[in-house]
Amino acid sequence: MLYHLYDLHHAALTPLRLMAEATQQTFQNPFLPASYTQVGRAVAAGAELIERTTRRWGKPDFGLPTTRINGRDVAVTERVVVERPFGNLVRFERAAPTDDPKLLLVAPMSGHYATLLRGTVQALMPNHDVYITDWHDAKLIPLSRGRFDLEDYIDYVMDFIRHLGPNTHVMAVCQPAVPTLAAVALMAQLDDPCQPSSMTLMGGPLDTAAAPTVVTKLAEDKDIGWFERNVITTVPFYYPGALRQVYPGFVQLTGFMSMNLDRHVGEHLKLFRHLVQGDGDSAEAHRKFYDEYLSVMDLTAEFYLQTVNQVFQERALPTGRMKWRGMTVDPSAIEKTALMTVEGELDDISAPGQTIAAHTMCSSIPAAKKHNHLQKSVGHYGIFNGRKWREDIEPRVRRFILENDAVRAGRKTTAAA
């Protein structure tokens, strides 16, 4: 009944939302004298807050039509290069001939769409040939397309790397750090010729015991049956994915919001003040962030439950008990792939210590091919979005990738000869 109650609640608020939208448009009409008064702006601002907090958000667009390469604007086209039932591989194809490193950006499947990494992609595009995993909303995938669990996720990552071929670089943000490390380890164990040249893991829960958080404590305090009973529900018949068992995006969003409720309430009060004061730039920055933050998708129940159990409860990867198709995943098998980890000092989702644990697990990678960066004064989202990401972290990641790019290494060897 969880999904039905959610949809019923949304339907019940529709008249209020429509009324708020009409009020907002009325009091922002330049032909209405009251729109120029403080009272008029306050009414319009209040109506906008009501409309935004009662709206249902769909999947946003990346909205990255251009990038800047060598001082000039270059057109960018989003192109699906591999299409799969639960997620596509999308390329940001730049209209400029370059031999920049191929970079696979593995987006989280944790409730938000891949567009959450818009700022990450935007900063990477000038210097990389960027591809991203664009995961699909489980409630829109018919049951006939089958199941999707953590092992399938690992399959997708390996298949996408193989599609891109040798000398590919991989970057995983947050949740996919675990399946990405597992995928690279398995490719090393299988002596796959397409093992990536480098792997960058950012703010990921690789060893949750290294630094407990509210997220890890919840997983430890409840058994897997509790999660199955309380947060898993069935997709109603009026969606394409009818009868599929899912972890709804709105449940995940509620959890995220409740972790920092005071902050989110404060941000909306700031929006109200910005609108009343006529501070359009600050208001637009708020809209952009929350348009993305409030857009959520459903996960398959099997993927969610397996992730909770394997990553947070059993800590299967760092303890050597993680299996893929009956095969034990062994990160110590990785020798050819360079490793970089990035953590945020104030990260309260994947706290410092959880991601750097990859260096211990990947014991066969030479020290010269390992690097860790702890970014001061940033939280979870700050390590892949915002000013610190653009000015401090991305240049370090770019340098690390270039240092471990086989094409450039070949050039140096040729030049030296």
Side-chain angles (χ1 to χ4, degrees):
M1 293 296 294
L2 186 62
Y3 229 116
H4 292 86
L5 288 172
Y6 173 73
D7 286 340
L8 180 61
H9 177 259
H10 177 75
L13 289 175
T14 297
L16 176 63
R17 186 177 67 258
L18 294 175
M19 186 185 306
E21 187 175 2
T23 302
Q24 178 189 352
Q25 292 177 355
T26 299
F27 280 86
Q28 288 179 338
N29 190 323
F31 294 103
L32 180 70
S35 67
Y36 297 96
T37 67
Q38 188 168 10
V39 172
R41 290 195 298 269
V43 172
E48 179 171 340
L49 257 64
I50 293 173
E51 189 277 328
R52 291 181 63 81
T53 53
T54 57
R55 187 194 307 178
R56 179 173 290 185
W57 304 83
K59 181 181 178 181
D61 295 325
F62 275 101
L64 298 172
T66 63
T67 188
R68 196 162 183 81
I69 301 177
N70 296 325
R72 67 186 185 91
D73 290 335
V74 174
V76 176
T77 303
E78 288 178 44
R79 187 165 67 87
V80 176
V81 294
V82 178
E83 191 170 357
R84 301 288 293 274
F86 291 89
N88 297 337
L89 178 62
V90 173
R91 182 186 186 188
F92 294 90
E93 196 171 75
R94 303 167 301 169
T98 68
D99 61 351
D100 289 334
K102 289 180 294 185
L103 177 60
L104 171 60
L105 183 56
V106 186
M109 183 184 276
S110 56
H112 286 101
Y113 292 96
T115 50
L116 186 69
L117 303 186
R118 181 185 294 104
T120 319
V121 174
Q122 188 173 29
L124 291 168
M125 279 199 300
N127 302 289
H128 304 85
D129 183 9
V130 182
Y131 297 75
I132 195 169
T133 56
D134 188 17
W135 305 112
H136 297 161
D137 189 341
K139 70 173 174 289
L140 303 179
I141 306 172
L143 269 178
S144 59
R145 304 311 296 268
R147 291 165 46 88
F148 184 88
D149 60 17
L150 186 58
E151 292 185 334
D152 295 314
Y153 192 116
I154 294 171
D155 283 335
Y156 272 47
V157 174
M158 288 194 291
D159 289 347
F160 291 159
I161 293 173
R162 288 173 181 137
H163 178 84
L164 297 181
N167 198 32
T168 293
H169 303 267
V170 181
M171 176 188 291
V173 178
C174 190
Q175 169 267 323
V178 173
T180 298
L181 178 55
V184 175
L186 288 163
M187 294 180 79
Q189 291 171 251
L190 298 169
D191 197 23
D192 195 302
C194 292
Q195 294 175 57
S197 296
S198 78
M199 169 174 53
T200 303
L201 306 176
M202 305 179 67
L206 288 162
D207 187 355
T208 56
T213 64
V214 173
V215 177
T216 63
K217 190 175 187 306
L218 175 64
E220 292 168 0
D221 291 348
K222 310 292 184 183
D223 61 31
I224 199 66
W226 182 91
F227 289 94
E228 191 167 6
R229 291 190 302 273
N230 289 277
V231 300
I232 300 301
T233 189
T234 303
V235 177
F237 68 90
Y238 43 84
Y239 289 100
L243 303 182
R244 183 180 292 281
Q245 293 282 294
V246 297
Y247 173 57
F250 60 82
V251 173
Q252 176 79 325
L253 180 62
T254 301
F256 277 143
M257 296 285 281
S258 63
M259 286 177 62
N260 297 285
L261 186 59
D262 290 346
R263 174 177 170 269
H264 292 297
V265 171
E267 288 297 322
H268 281 75
L269 290 175
K270 283 182 185 178
L271 173 62
F272 179 83
R273 288 196 295 270
H274 294 322
L275 291 169
V276 173
Q277 294 165 2
D279 185 352
D281 290 341
S282 297
E284 187 58 28
H286 173 100
R287 292 190 191 102
K288 284 183 178 179
F289 175 81
Y290 278 97
D291 285 357
E292 191 68 58
Y293 191 78
L294 298 174
S295 300
V296 290
M297 66 180 206
D298 295 355
L299 318 181
T300 63
E302 58 271 18
F303 171 79
Y304 173 76
L305 294 173
Q306 196 174 27
T307 298
V308 170
N309 180 252
Q310 293 287 298
V311 176
F312 293 95
Q313 295 180 334
E314 299 295 329
R315 298 175 47 242
L317 187 60
T319 58
R321 293 177 293 166
M322 189 173 193
K323 299 282 187 180
W324 171 82
R325 311 301 179 201
M327 181 177 178
T328 300
V329 179
D330 181 13
S332 69
I334 304 172
E335 298 178 358
K336 300 176 181 179
T337 302
L339 170 65
M340 179 176 184
T341 53
V342 179
E343 297 182 321
E345 181 186 27
L346 306 179
D347 193 339
D348 58 354
I349 295 178
S350 296
Q354 292 188 14
T355 312
I356 197 175
H359 292 273
T360 301
M361 288 184 264
C362 300
S363 56
S364 299
I365 299 177
K369 298 181 70 173
K370 288 182 175 180
H371 181 67
N372 177 64
H373 175 63
L374 175 65
Q375 183 64 47
K376 299 291 185 180
S377 304
V378 299
H380 187 69
Y381 293 98
I383 62 175
F384 60 88
N385 261 317
R387 183 174 61 84
K388 292 288 188 180
W389 153 248
R390 294 191 303 271
E391 296 179 0
D392 295 341
I393 301 173
E394 189 279 331
R396 296 172 187 270
V397 172
R398 185 199 323 157
R399 190 160 53 247
F400 170 75
I401 289 174
L402 289 174
E403 288 171 354
N404 293 282
D405 190 67
V407 171
R408 279 137 191 89
R411 286 176 184 167
K412 289 180 181 178
T413 302
T414 302

